[in-house]
Amino acid sequence: MLGFIVNPVSGNGRGAMVWKQLEEELRQRNVAYLVRKTSMAGEAKQLAVDVLQNGSVTGIVAVGGDGTVNEVVNGIHESQVACAFGHIPAGSGNDFARGHNLPRDPLQALEKILQGNVTKTIDVLQLNGMVAINSVGAGLDGQVAVTANRARYKRWLNKIKLGVLAYFLAVVRVLLTYKPCSVTVVIDDRQETLENVWLIAVANISSYGGGMQICPDAVPDDGRADICVVSHASRWSLLRAFPLIYTGKHVHHPAARFFRGSTITIQSERPMVVHADGEMAGVTPITVNVARRRLTILS
């Protein structure tokens, strides 16, 4: 039996509309299921834990955006119960769906989940007692994630189906005032000390922030994370180069350096805000460990 965790307010109410479609389809097909709906931020994790206490649940489906995905996967991680994970996108960014080529149409996504014959096992990123499955970021992108999630214009943009622009506007807003700092990064046994660091992104898939191709070559099941470090650049040169990130062409910019590794430690001269899948996850110093092929997803 499948358990569904639904965030009704994701995508400015799209979650509720998507669930209405799904529920009607499930009933018409006489599919047995459990459903729990969130009523506040952060609740999806505990709901996933509660659903997994039902011994007949073999898979959990998150209906919402990347924040809901993160919470549900953390619930699976905390419960230590083996189960498959499915996702039906209903958020503004939907990077997990993009990164794994999941259908955007709710009924098509449900059909693939119900078939259950296509699965893959992916890595997860472990940090601070939690996990991320898309990316972890420190510095400017951590501050951007916090700013975008709090912005009033995000809800308005979601209403007109332009929610991804919230991240773009947040980047411009934060970049105008953010101050880079010195950072030491240890990737496996290699240490890099860098000055004037704007951000460090640790990626399990290619995109974050609603389609920004931060690490275009990231592979979610190779046991390694791709790391992008942006440093030694002026504020205005970054603003001019920023559009390149949507096509991945920033990889040729002299301010961007790329690494791969399975254990990444980030220390900075002053605390840098850290995000995990776009949600606030503390400040530096942090260590991110790649747990290889830890989560089975229905794709």
Side-chain angles (χ1 to χ4, degrees):
M1 181 168 64
L2 291 174
F4 289 82
I5 308 298
V6 180
N7 181 354
V9 301
S10 63
N12 198 45
R14 176 167 166 76
M17 293 186 291
V18 166
W19 175 245
K20 185 176 180 180
Q21 286 182 275
L22 299 174
E23 189 170 38
E24 181 178 350
E25 183 70 12
L26 290 167
R27 288 175 175 172
Q28 288 182 357
R29 296 172 64 158
N30 294 318
V31 175
Y33 66 92
L34 289 178
V35 60
R36 298 291 184 271
K37 298 179 182 179
T38 63
S39 59
M40 65 183 74
E43 190 179 16
K45 175 183 174 181
Q46 186 57 50
L47 291 178
V49 172
D50 294 344
V51 165
L52 285 172
Q53 291 179 351
N54 185 315
S56 61
V57 172
T58 57
I60 290 189
V61 180
V63 181
D66 289 312
T68 308
V69 168
N70 176 271
E71 290 181 27
V72 171
V73 170
N74 272 278
I76 295 172
H77 173 72
E78 182 175 298
S79 68
Q80 297 185 337
V81 174
C83 77
F85 172 73
H87 175 48
I88 297 177
S92 55
N94 297 320
D95 285 301
F96 181 83
R98 182 180 294 105
H100 297 282
N101 297 313
L102 303 182
R104 301 300 179 87
D105 179 85
L107 296 182
Q108 290 180 11
L110 178 63
E111 181 63 32
K112 295 193 72 170
I113 289 169
L114 293 179
Q115 288 175 358
N117 54 10
V118 180
T119 64
K120 62 181 178 180
T121 306
I122 64 170
D123 307 334
V124 300
L125 308 175
Q126 298 179 327
L127 73 157
N128 295 342
M130 64 180 296
V131 298
I133 53 175
N134 291 349
S135 63
V136 174
L140 182 141
D141 60 342
Q143 190 61 54
V144 166
V146 171
T147 300
N149 287 336
R150 293 176 177 173
R152 292 182 179 180
Y153 53 73
K154 182 178 181 180
R155 177 177 296 181
W156 180 79
L157 288 168
N158 280 336
K159 285 184 178 180
I160 58 175
K161 299 182 179 181
L162 292 175
V164 294
L165 288 180
Y167 298 95
F168 174 84
L169 293 174
V171 167
V172 174
R173 179 179 171 187
V174 173
L175 189 54
L176 291 174
T177 58
Y178 189 82
K179 295 181 179 180
C181 66
S182 299
V183 172
T184 297
V185 185
V186 180
I187 303 169
D188 296 335
D189 296 324
R190 177 180 180 179
Q191 179 173 307
E192 296 280 345
T193 300
L194 300 166
E195 305 293 327
N196 195 36
V197 173
W198 289 89
L199 67 86
I200 303 167
V202 181
N204 199 35
I205 59 175
S206 62
S207 71
Y208 74 169
M212 299 179 189
Q213 301 294 309
I214 186 66
C215 291
D217 297 326
V219 178
D221 61 356
D222 63 352
R224 299 186 299 172
D226 280 33
I227 302 105
C228 175
V229 180
V230 177
S231 63
H232 296 289
S234 71
R235 197 179 311 275
W236 302 114
S237 68
L238 288 182
L239 268 174
R240 290 195 302 271
F242 174 67
L244 297 175
I245 198 171
Y246 284 97
T247 59
K249 292 182 179 180
H250 67 291
V251 299
H252 304 297
H253 195 281
R257 298 181 63 186
F258 293 85
F259 308 90
R260 284 194 177 99
S262 57
T263 301
I264 303 95
T265 298
I266 303 170
Q267 296 178 312
S268 52
E269 65 176 336
R270 67 171 184 271
M272 302 171 79
V273 175
V274 176
H275 79 84
D277 295 339
E279 303 297 320
M280 176 71 174
V283 297
T284 55
I286 60 164
T287 295
V288 180
N289 292 298
V290 179
R292 190 170 190 186
R293 298 186 177 179
R294 193 61 59 90
L295 179 70
T296 299
I297 65 172
L298 299 164
S299 61

